Amino acid sequence: MLHTLSSRRLPSAPLLLLAWWALSLAQADPNAAPAIQLRLAGDKRKHYEGRLEVYHNGEWGTVCDDDFTIYAARVACRELGYLDAEAWTPSAKYGQGQGRIWMDNVNCQGNEKSLALCSSNGLGVSDCKHSEDVGVVCTQKRMPGFKFVSNVGNNLEDMTVQVEDVRIRATYSQRKRVPITEGFVEVKDGGKWRQICSQDWTPLNSRVICGMYGFPGEKGYNARGYKLLAKRRKKNYWGFGVNCTGTEADLSDCKLGRQVDLKGNRTCEQGMPVVISCVPGRAFAPTVSAGFRKAYRVEQPLVRLRGGAVIGEGRVEVLKNGLWGTVCDDNWDIKAATVVCRELGFGSAKEALTGARLGQGIGPVHMNEVQCSGFEKSLTECAFNSEATGCGHEEDAAVKCNIPAMGFDSRLRLSGGRNPSEGRVEVLAERNGSLTWGAVCSDSWGTMEAMVVCRQLGLGFANNAFKETWYWQGDPSAEAVVMSGVRCSGTELTLDQCLHHGKHLNCPKGGGRFAAGVSCTQAAPDLVLNAQAVEQTTYLEDRPMYALQCAQEEHCLSSSATGASSTSYRRLLRFSSQIHNNGRSDFRPRSGHQSWIWHECHRHYHSMEVFTHYDLFSLNGTKIAEGHKASFCLEDSHCEEGIQKKFECANFGAQGITTGCWDTYRHDIDCQWIDVTDVKPGDFIFQVVINPNFEVAESDYSNNIMKCRCRYDGNRIWMYNCHIGGSLSSETEETFPGLLTNQLSHR
């Protein structure tokens, strides 16, 4: 054999190397992947999205969007511990990265265990620029049993925390407290809950965990009891520390700390399991004094949320020079949103919303291109571009904040509906010393009460309030009425915070078919009157009684007109109403066609018997004169560019106001006035209220009122300083004396 080999010609060295490489490839694990680690970075609006970055060979880099697909996004999200991917974004949506572009022309089947197993040009082979950096949006749900594995040895620099879940584990004595504000911090890794070693833990880490759980800040705690408890308990430490800057909205945005040497009972000998204590916001504090005082300025907040379905979410509005205005969504990110959330007594932000996702505001756009460090006490302290113009309300920024787990939805349920968002309302109440489910009396049931139910269950806004629910088969054991006389203002967090009869029930109709019910929806309309149009179109007209017979039949004149001569005159304060729908769904009358009322005199239908109230008050708040307008025609008079009209009254057509459209009641139509025949000259306050009986649910009722100053000299009238309710600071509102006790009543 040796002789044979020696007699043959030996191959050259390059050929030998090629053969060795081919053999090693054949013997290698086909599923083996190059050592990479992933993270989500950049200008995020929620913590489970961002620019996709790859760590390889000691350096972080990005991925090019060429040939990238949802299948590649799924592989990346699952590698990061998320259940799946929702979307991917090209062209550096989350900002341009730095360093190498590690991957280009990535092509995945979707079932690969790692992005490195997908075909590509090869690590580091790319002809892309950072303007082509790809981003991904993962699902919020984490993968059950996910375990973080470092593929790059001890090179943990700038690696983000990737665990299945995190919790605050209260001690036995504090588990019944609501909300739970204090306890051991535990992370779920590999399907098991593990403690974190306290050796490198900082208050900034605590601030981030508290924010995730809906608390604006952290505080100290009595460590002595926890040390004793930790000594008795079996320890199961996580293998890493945590390094947060304090501005992160979620633990997944924090960096990994040092690797912990796991030595059984001798692990973390210089420390103990991490414990945190959080401060609840005022709305969630067990007592008012326990609340986070700095987070909520009771006297006059500078920032507020409007148009949100549940507490802790809404369009961001800022007070400047006594006038409320909105924030433009240019550069709006989760860091700025978190400043807003903490300022208002909530935790960190779940999501920074753009594009007027929670409805359009009114008034000026006060801030644009906002940039926050994350430690500001108020959004008003953040830097912004005061010279940036051209931002409209279609770009209004909004937030969704983390709020504490209060267990609100465990004390209330909907039963018998066709879907989870409707049904008979059933509450958990104490009767004869035990908790029992029962019905709610429908005697005083209306839209405001339904709004509170939908908010408490996290189901959005009320769509309808039902006084009869015989068509829904609720729980037979919950037929008896356990709550009656419910009257809500609409701002309560739970139904039991509303006025009600308590233990002394009074419900003549009983429960069963007359039990209260609701249907909920995620979007609602929001009607807003154009104050400027009212101010510009006001005038007086003297009109003879013989031309007002139809108006008299519809009760549009003052009582002194009854029995007046047909040749006498009435003095009418006329004006136009331009009513915009700034919400996220169409405004529709509650009653269907079959319930509309025909008025023979005017020969039209009323879809809402009272659609607006017009009132004239003295400066001390006494009503001097009044008028009302039935909705004989709700239609789209005009719409914003690109929006189609849906509603037209002609030929008994459908009535309503489409989102982005407005309905104009011109000054020259009947009942578009207040009869001021008997009013003496003087200074007055003129007020218009839309949807005054709350027949239709809206996302914001505070802007349904418009007020003006008014001067009448007996022959002429001046209307000035017209403004929408809630558009001015409370100090400015006080220049309208008497009106603070004359605000829109909920009953």
Side-chain angles (χ1 to χ4, degrees):
M1 191 71 172
L2 286 170
H3 174 75
T4 311
L5 276 172
S6 62
S7 64
R8 284 185 180 175
R9 187 180 172 191
L10 291 172
S12 64
L15 283 173
L16 276 171
L17 282 170
L18 193 63
W20 172 82
W21 178 72
L23 183 65
S24 64
L25 270 184
Q27 292 175 342
D29 180 0
N31 293 320
I36 68 166
Q37 209 84 41
L38 304 182
R39 71 179 181 187
L40 300 179
D43 305 323
K44 303 181 179 187
R45 288 178 180 154
K46 46 196 177 197
H47 67 83
Y48 43 94
E49 68 175 10
R51 182 176 60 247
L52 185 59
E53 295 196 344
V54 176
Y55 186 81
H56 176 66
N57 205 21
E59 188 181 350
W60 282 102
T62 61
V63 178
C64 182
D65 59 17
D66 290 351
D67 291 343
F68 202 87
T69 65
I70 190 66
Y71 298 109
R74 284 175 174 169
V75 172
C77 286
R78 284 200 289 266
E79 191 170 353
L80 285 162
Y82 296 100
L83 210 52
D84 204 351
E86 288 181 359
W88 66 277
T89 58
S91 308
K93 180 190 171 182
Y94 300 102
Q96 296 187 23
Q98 294 180 326
R100 302 278 294 273
I101 297 176
W102 276 121
M103 301 183 79
D104 188 6
N105 296 110
V106 179
N107 194 327
C108 302
Q109 299 300 311
N111 56 0
E112 293 87 350
K113 298 292 184 191
S114 168
L115 199 66
L117 288 170
C118 299
S119 67
S120 69
N121 291 352
L123 286 169
V125 182
S126 173
D127 60 355
C128 293
K129 297 177 181 176
H130 281 298
S131 57
E132 300 171 82
D133 285 345
V134 80
V136 296
V137 182
C138 302
T139 56
Q140 193 171 356
K141 287 187 177 179
R142 299 287 291 170
M143 194 181 291
F146 175 79
K147 182 173 178 61
F148 173 72
V149 177
S150 173
N151 295 326
V152 289
N154 294 324
N155 298 322
L156 301 176
E157 183 185 353
D158 292 332
M159 211 77 73
T160 51
V161 175
Q162 296 168 23
V163 291
E164 183 185 336
D165 203 357
V166 59
R167 70 180 180 185
I168 301 173
R169 186 178 180 185
T171 60
Y172 184 77
S173 61
Q174 295 199 354
R175 277 180 198 165
K176 291 186 178 179
R177 289 194 178 185
V178 178
I180 289 173
T181 58
E182 186 175 295
F184 291 101
V185 176
E186 296 185 341
V187 294
K188 198 173 190 181
D189 185 56
K192 293 182 179 178
W193 287 104
R194 304 174 192 275
Q195 301 95 29
I196 301 174
C197 179
S198 65
Q199 277 180 240
D200 296 325
W201 191 263
T202 69
L204 297 177
N205 297 342
S206 300
R207 173 181 161 89
V208 173
I209 303 289
C210 287
M212 287 175 66
Y213 274 83
F215 304 113
E218 79 293 337
K219 64 182 177 68
Y221 61 92
N222 183 356
R224 195 168 151 193
Y226 285 101
K227 281 181 181 176
L228 290 170
L229 197 59
K231 281 181 181 177
R232 290 194 228 119
R233 287 177 61 182
K234 185 181 177 183
K235 298 176 189 65
N236 184 17
Y237 282 105
W238 189 44
F240 302 92
V242 173
N243 185 13
C244 302
T245 64
T247 63
E248 297 89 349
D250 192 88
L251 184 64
S252 62
D253 290 323
C254 295
K255 303 290 189 292
L256 277 179
R258 285 191 307 173
Q259 199 155 356
V260 175
D261 191 9
L262 300 176
K263 299 181 291 187
N265 289 336
R266 289 171 41 235
T267 305
C268 194
E269 283 185 305
Q270 302 303 311
M272 61 175 278
V274 165
V275 176
I276 64 168
S277 184
C278 306
V279 186
R282 185 176 289 264
F284 306 103
T287 60
V288 174
S289 61
F292 193 76
R293 290 176 186 167
K294 290 181 182 176
Y296 204 92
R297 300 188 178 104
V298 176
E299 65 281 359
Q300 178 62 73
L302 299 176
V303 177
R304 69 184 184 187
L305 301 182
R306 282 288 186 269
V310 297
I311 187 169
E313 70 176 49
R315 179 178 59 254
V316 180
E317 297 190 350
V318 180
L319 185 66
K320 184 180 178 184
N321 299 328
L323 193 63
W324 285 100
T326 60
V327 177
C328 184
D329 63 10
D330 292 349
N331 298 346
W332 185 246
D333 61 12
I334 200 161
K335 196 176 277 188
T338 292
V339 170
V340 170
C341 292
R342 289 188 189 274
E343 176 180 4
L344 295 175
F346 308 117
S348 52
K350 279 193 285 194
E351 188 174 357
L353 299 163
T354 57
R357 285 262 304 278
L358 295 183
Q360 295 187 22
I362 56 174
V365 178
H366 280 323
M367 298 176 82
N368 192 4
E369 297 177 13
V370 177
Q371 284 189 313
C372 302
S373 72
F375 286 108
E376 293 87 353
K377 297 289 186 211
S378 170
L379 184 70
T380 57
E381 295 174 12
C382 296
F384 66 98
N385 187 350
S386 57
E387 296 178 4
T389 56
C391 218
H393 285 299
E394 68 280 358
E395 297 175 81
D396 284 345
V399 297
K400 287 185 178 180
C401 305
N402 287 312
I403 62 169
M406 302 295 290
F408 290 153
D409 55 354
S410 63
R411 305 200 296 267
L412 186 77
R413 69 186 184 191
L414 301 183
S415 183
R418 295 162 298 179
N419 58 63
S421 294
E422 68 175 23
R424 190 173 77 183
V425 178
E426 294 175 358
V427 296
L428 192 61
E430 189 176 328
R431 287 288 173 267
N432 302 321
S434 62
L435 289 172
T436 181
W437 287 99
V440 177
C441 186
S442 64
D443 276 1
S444 57
W445 196 252
T447 303
M448 284 299 178
E449 291 70 37
M451 289 287 257
V452 174
V453 167
C454 294
R455 180 184 299 120
Q456 183 174 348
L457 291 172
L459 295 174
F461 301 99
N463 196 30
N464 272 302
F466 299 100
K467 290 197 167 193
E468 289 190 29
T469 52
W470 53 267
Y471 36 81
W472 286 330
Q473 292 300 313
D475 186 343
S477 65
E479 293 272 331
V481 170
V482 295
M483 198 176 199
S484 65
V486 183
R487 297 167 78 91
C488 304
S489 69
T491 59
E492 296 87 351
L493 300 183
T494 63
L495 200 63
D496 57 12
Q497 289 178 0
C498 300
L499 290 171
H500 58 94
H501 288 154
K503 293 180 180 178
H504 305 289
L505 301 174
N506 180 21
C507 189
K509 288 182 181 177
R513 64 173 292 169
F514 294 108
V518 301
S519 65
C520 307
T521 177
Q522 286 300 316
D526 183 20
L527 297 188
V528 183
L529 189 69
N530 185 332
Q532 196 175 11
V534 173
E535 195 169 312
Q536 292 171 350
T537 57
T538 306
Y539 66 98
L540 293 173
E541 182 196 11
D542 289 339
R543 195 165 179 82
M545 272 299 296
Y546 63 77
L548 294 170
Q549 293 307 306
C550 286
Q552 175 77 338
E553 282 185 25
E554 294 192 15
H555 310 292
C556 296
L557 301 175
S558 63
S559 56
S560 65
T562 306
S565 163
S566 61
T567 57
S568 63
Y569 282 78
R570 307 300 296 180
R571 178 156 289 182
L572 307 175
L573 169 58
R574 284 187 174 274
F575 53 91
S576 294
S577 293
Q578 192 183 98
I579 299 164
H580 294 246
N581 181 1
N582 285 358
R584 293 165 53 223
S585 72
D586 300 340
F587 183 93
R588 301 289 303 273
R590 189 174 66 178
S591 304
H593 280 67
Q594 71 283 355
S595 304
W596 294 358
I597 300 169
W598 175 256
H599 283 257
E600 183 63 32
C601 193
H602 276 131
R603 299 197 63 77
H604 59 232
Y605 282 97
H606 287 183
S607 57
M608 291 173 67
E609 194 55 39
V610 178
F611 179 55
T612 50
H613 276 166
Y614 309 137
D615 294 303
L616 203 62
F617 294 99
S618 67
L619 294 184
N620 67 9
T622 305
K623 190 181 288 187
I624 303 297
E626 64 181 25
H628 83 272
K629 184 73 184 169
S631 66
F632 66 78
C633 176
L634 277 176
E635 67 176 2
D636 298 326
S637 304
H638 299 90
C639 295
E640 292 172 9
E641 190 176 346
I643 296 176
Q644 287 284 100
K645 294 181 181 180
K646 289 185 190 174
F647 302 109
E648 191 174 0
C649 296
N651 302 317
F652 196 36
Q655 291 196 25
I657 307 174
T658 304
T659 299
C661 300
W662 57 93
D663 185 11
T664 302
Y665 282 96
R666 283 174 50 88
H667 55 81
D668 53 0
I669 63 174
D670 263 6
C671 299
Q672 190 60 35
W673 64 55
I674 294 181
D675 183 352
V676 294
T677 307
D678 307 318
V679 175
K680 293 180 172 56
D683 287 306
F684 304 98
I685 293 160
F686 173 62
Q687 177 175 287
V688 177
V689 182
I690 312 166
N691 190 17
N693 298 336
F694 314 107
E695 280 190 46
V696 179
E698 297 185 46
S699 60
D700 187 0
Y701 285 113
S702 67
N703 56 17
N704 283 31
I705 313 173
M706 187 220 65
K707 301 170 186 173
C708 305
R709 292 296 291 262
C710 175
R711 173 164 289 180
Y712 174 50
D713 69 356
N715 296 299
R716 294 168 298 174
I717 197 151
W718 292 266
M719 200 77 76
Y720 59 100
N721 284 359
C722 292
H723 68 278
I724 299 300
S727 63
L728 305 181
S729 68
S730 57
E731 288 88 350
T732 313
E733 285 283 7
E734 285 167 12
T735 62
F736 287 72
L739 274 187
L740 294 181
T741 55
N742 241 317
Q743 289 176 351
L744 180 57
S745 167
H746 292 311
R747 283 286 174 232

